[in-house]
Amino acid sequence: MKLNLNNAELKISAGLPKQFPSDRVPQVAFAGRSNVGKSSLINSLLGRKSRARVSGSPGKTITVNFYSVDKKLYLVDLPGYGYAKRTFEDKKKWSALTDGYFTRNPNIDLLKLTVQLVDSRIGPTEDDYNMIGYLVETNSPFIIVATKCDKLNATEKKKITEALADDELTSKADAVILYSAVSGTGREELLREIISHAEKE
């Protein structure tokens, strides 16, 4: 699959499962806690500074954002979880919408990969483990991307890579990639993983 990354647009910000697009296009979902750098990663992946919405207030927007890439692939930005200041009602809405993506998505059979983001500086949180546990339980292909690795030295990078490889849950990922939206580290590797999974029948 050849993708023109310059031909990317926000197709829809869905606040309800019934708004999810119905066209038969492969999907790659991005999951992670609020402020893990999901929007920055998507922007760097697409080579743009402001394609994905970057919120000044983590966890403020509760929508599933579908980015159409060259009309051949959807990058699906799931709402960030684990934001402490979010109200109980907002947390319920997040849970219902994220659950709806996996259980009420008309094209869930076209979900080729979930990119699970963790902060490389702190490792997986309890919320991350819950998400990864769900992906393992449902046999959903996933990889782990450890973001903000530009803030780590070589020893710290080795430590987080080994920790993710040795962990009972995270070791089930198809790949572990250290990523920096600032320096571009991991970008080509992540693109290869996305395209490779998207091409699978």
Side-chain angles (χ1 to χ4, degrees):
M1 178 187 292
K2 289 186 177 181
L3 292 174
N4 177 7
L5 298 177
N6 291 318
N7 185 20
E9 63 176 349
L10 176 62
K11 180 85 172 188
I12 188 169
S13 289
L16 297 168
K18 66 181 181 181
Q19 296 173 325
F20 296 162
S22 59
D23 44 330
R24 302 287 294 168
V25 176
Q27 299 183 10
V28 172
F30 292 77
R33 69 181 183 83
S34 297
N35 211 26
V36 74
K38 213 154 24 72
S39 296
S40 297
L41 181 145
I42 292 172
N43 285 332
S44 74
L45 202 59
L46 297 176
R48 299 294 178 87
K49 290 186 177 179
S50 58
R51 177 66 66 190
R53 298 175 177 180
V54 181
S55 174
S57 302
K60 185 176 181 182
T61 304
I62 307 177
T63 55
V64 177
N65 297 320
F66 289 81
Y67 296 92
S68 173
V69 182
D70 211 18
K71 298 183 179 178
K72 298 176 183 175
L73 177 71
Y74 277 124
L75 300 184
V76 185
D77 184 4
L78 299 175
Y81 51 73
Y83 187 54
K85 293 182 180 179
R86 183 173 282 167
T87 66
F88 177 71
E89 287 302 316
D90 278 352
K91 287 178 180 177
K92 280 205 306 184
K93 184 178 179 183
W94 174 86
S95 296
L97 188 56
T98 302
D99 179 74
Y101 174 75
F102 290 99
T103 61
R104 296 168 61 192
N105 180 354
N107 288 328
I108 194 61
D109 60 309
L110 290 174
L111 174 60
K112 302 296 186 177
L113 178 69
T114 297
V115 180
Q116 175 63 43
L117 276 60
V118 301
D119 191 321
S120 65
R121 301 169 298 176
I122 61 175
T125 64
E126 183 180 353
D127 289 317
D128 293 328
Y129 278 121
N130 288 337
M131 187 71 210
I132 294 167
Y134 174 82
L135 295 171
V136 170
E137 189 178 310
T138 55
N139 293 314
S140 298
F142 74 100
I143 62 174
I144 291 176
V145 172
T147 61
K148 307 181 183 182
C149 75
D150 55 285
K151 301 182 184 296
L152 305 183
N153 60 36
T155 301
E156 291 167 332
K157 288 177 182 177
K158 185 172 184 285
K159 183 178 179 182
I160 184 64
T161 301
E162 290 177 348
L164 291 170
D166 293 341
D167 185 277
E168 183 180 355
L169 261 185
T170 57
S171 63
K172 297 183 186 298
D174 289 352
V176 173
I177 299 171
L178 293 183
Y179 199 98
S180 168
V182 176
S183 68
T185 298
R187 180 177 182 270
E188 293 306 315
E189 187 179 355
L190 178 53
L191 279 172
R192 282 196 299 272
E193 287 289 339
I194 288 172
I195 291 172
S196 171
H197 281 81
E199 288 176 336
K200 292 179 181 178
E201 291 298 327

